[in-house]
Amino acid sequence: MSERAEDAAAEEGEAEEPDRDFPISSNARFTIGGKPVVLDDFIDITTGDVSNRPVVDPQPQPAPMPKDVIWNARRPVEG
């Protein structure tokens, strides 16, 4: 491998690691109506008042339903 190729590979390894918990970078750019906007502005424009609500913790999933409940929910009721 040439010295330049080694330098390029080293620089790539030093690149900032993306945040895996937040898949869209804060540097991401979007276009709305031909106007480029940053992520925060994109969220405000596209979600309106929903984006201004307080953040809440996720709720736990309920326990799975018994198989007979699921099975009966998928079948027509016989009278």
Side-chain angles (χ1 to χ4, degrees):
M1 186 179 272
S2 72
E3 188 174 324
R4 282 188 176 166
E6 289 174 1
D7 289 342
E11 287 178 11
E12 284 181 18
E14 294 172 4
E16 185 178 328
E17 190 69 27
D19 183 0
R20 300 293 181 205
D21 294 330
F22 195 73
I24 300 175
S25 167
S26 60
N27 298 339
R29 299 289 184 255
F30 302 87
T31 303
I32 297 180
K35 177 184 172 191
V37 294
V38 294
L39 178 61
D40 289 337
D41 293 339
F42 176 80
I43 292 170
D44 289 340
I45 292 168
T46 57
T47 59
D49 291 335
V50 174
S51 66
N52 296 326
R53 291 190 296 182
V55 177
V56 296
D57 292 329
Q59 299 297 313
Q61 291 288 323
M65 299 297 288
K67 185 177 179 179
D68 60 333
V69 171
I70 296 169
W71 181 258
N72 290 331
R74 296 173 182 259
R75 301 289 172 248
V77 177
E78 295 179 15

